[in-house]
Amino acid sequence: MSLTNLSPATLDFLHRRHGHFIGGRWVQSASGRSFDVHDPASGEKIASCAAGDAHEIDLAVKAARAAFEGPWSKFTAAQRSVILWKIADLVQANFQQLFELEILDNGLPTPLAQYVCGMVVPEFFRYYAGWPTKIEGATIPAAPQGKPPNEVISFTLREPIGVVGAITPWNSPLPMVMLKIAPALATGCTLVLKPAELTPLTAMRLAEICQEAGVPDGVINIVNGYGADAGAALAAHPGIDKIAFTGSTEVGRAIVKAAAGNLKKVTLELGGKSPVVVFPDADLDQVIPGAARACFFLQGQNCMAGTRLFVHEKIHDKVVEGIAAIAKSMKLGPGLDPSSEFGPLISAKQRDRVAGFVDAGKREGGELVCGGTSPNRPGYFFEPTVLTHMSSEMTPVKNEIFGPVLCVQTFGDNDLDRIAREANSTIYGLSGSVWTRDLGIAMQMVRKIDSGQVSVNMHAAIDPAMPFGGNKQSGWGREFGKEGLEPYLKTKGISMTW
Ligand code: NAD
């Protein structure tokens, strides 16, 4: 599909002069600065967007504070539920536009974009629509100042934390924004969001959809711009009560430092380098496509990606052969072409970074089984790549590549402690999977792997109700599920006598 085949709604949206969504209105940057947005499948410019800085962040924080203390605080829990449900309906009603914008912005293939825009995002809003009426405090059998039970009552109130600053990455733009907006609305918070400068389109459209669903002006504000300007100003702003950040571990550290000024609360969803551990009794018909998907899903630009394959030496050749056959058969192409199975990387910089890691792997003794190059075509494509003979000290094994590069290591015994030590040998602890028919081995490995998520005979099992987040340097806190609400709430303890 060329750009001329896009729906009129998408074309209209692309042609706009995009600004910032502050207090329910689109405004341009005071500085007049802007940045271009590109289609990673062609490298062509598709839109232009205002670049905000501390000035727009300040305006947005003031709008969010006014909405938090004003109109939004009058909404009942049931009214917030209705709005969240309505957002889900409107996401589905605007499916074609969101689907096209998400693909143009990020490059993901058609089936995945259909799943994301048609299922994942609406279902997530519906899941959180169920929560506002169930956020409860507790009565506590306390005896402050030695008072007997008939002279005192103690209880807790769960209150929204206030104005949230959210900063999101480019690798899955709409779901990343959904993960911040849904719990903020469910708990009664307001939000200033800075989307990734590489992929701002669906965040802006979702803000309008929220307004259409009945979210009052100022509850959701979007400031576009670069991380070093708008992002840093948001993380440091004294009017922000909590930062919800998703992105790299390196920037996560900068956020923590910036947040120290007013000791705002911080949750961090950071990088990963997840292990996929395959025991010799595993069902290879499940393992081979499962391990290929674990690594190559979203072109490997996925925090949960299973990029370190630990496979028993008995089945190593068969598993590697099978994964390489899948990798070689994948049709590279623009996401808007429904026959494409594997999209581009996000930028030329990212493609060159991935190529650099593959070169380092080969230099350090890895063997290239397939991929490793960029096809000669427009856009930022890079072939799905498999490197064998890898070990935990090698550069591509230690670092998050954020590209389609699978590093294969072997083991020859059933020493679960040793295998787990290898699996845990990076600074990350986000996801991981174990593949075996032996439930005893599976449960022992589940406990030994130090990650926020471990799946058995599947990888990266995501669901709105399942908490997700990182151990070690993969983050602080959890998103999804009931636990995903907690960072947006604060607890007040009350004791009353008469
Ligand atoms: P990034 O850290 O470079 O950027 C993320 C966001 O932070 C962007 O909006 C960027 O503009 C902003 N930013 C950059 N510098 C900033 C600063 N100094 N202050 C404030 N904001 C700043 O990450 P990326 O390249 O956009 O995304 C890829 C990373 O995100 C990977 O490491 C990936 O693992 C991680 N990620 C994690 C999860 C998770 O749930 N754990 C999910 C998706 C992506």
Side-chain angles (χ1 to χ4, degrees), residues 332-361:
L332 273 62
L336 284 170
D337 173 349
S339 71
S340 303
E341 295 169 305
F342 195 82
L345 300 188
I346 194 68
S347 63
K349 186 173 158 208
Q350 185 68 8
R351 183 195 55 201
D352 296 346
R353 183 172 182 272
V354 172
F357 276 114
V358 174
D359 289 344

Side-chain angles (χ1 to χ4, degrees), residues 273 308 310 364 389-399 407-410 418-426:
K273 189 76 193 176
R308 292 182 299 137
F310 292 90
E364 293 171 22
H389 297 80
M390 302 301 282
S391 63
S392 296
E393 311 72 48
M394 290 180 174
T395 307
V397 180
K398 281 196 300 201
N399 293 283
C407 295
V408 186
Q409 298 176 245
T410 56
R418 198 191 55 73
I419 297 166
R421 252 196 320 277
E422 290 285 321
N424 290 333
S425 65
T426 72

Side-chain angles (χ1 to χ4, degrees), residues 168-171 194 197 227 231 245-248 269-271 303 400 402:
T168 53
W170 48 260
N171 69 313
K194 207 256 354 131
E197 57 272 33
F245 173 75
T246 303
S248 61
E269 292 285 340
L270 308 176
C303 57
E400 184 185 45
F402 226 51

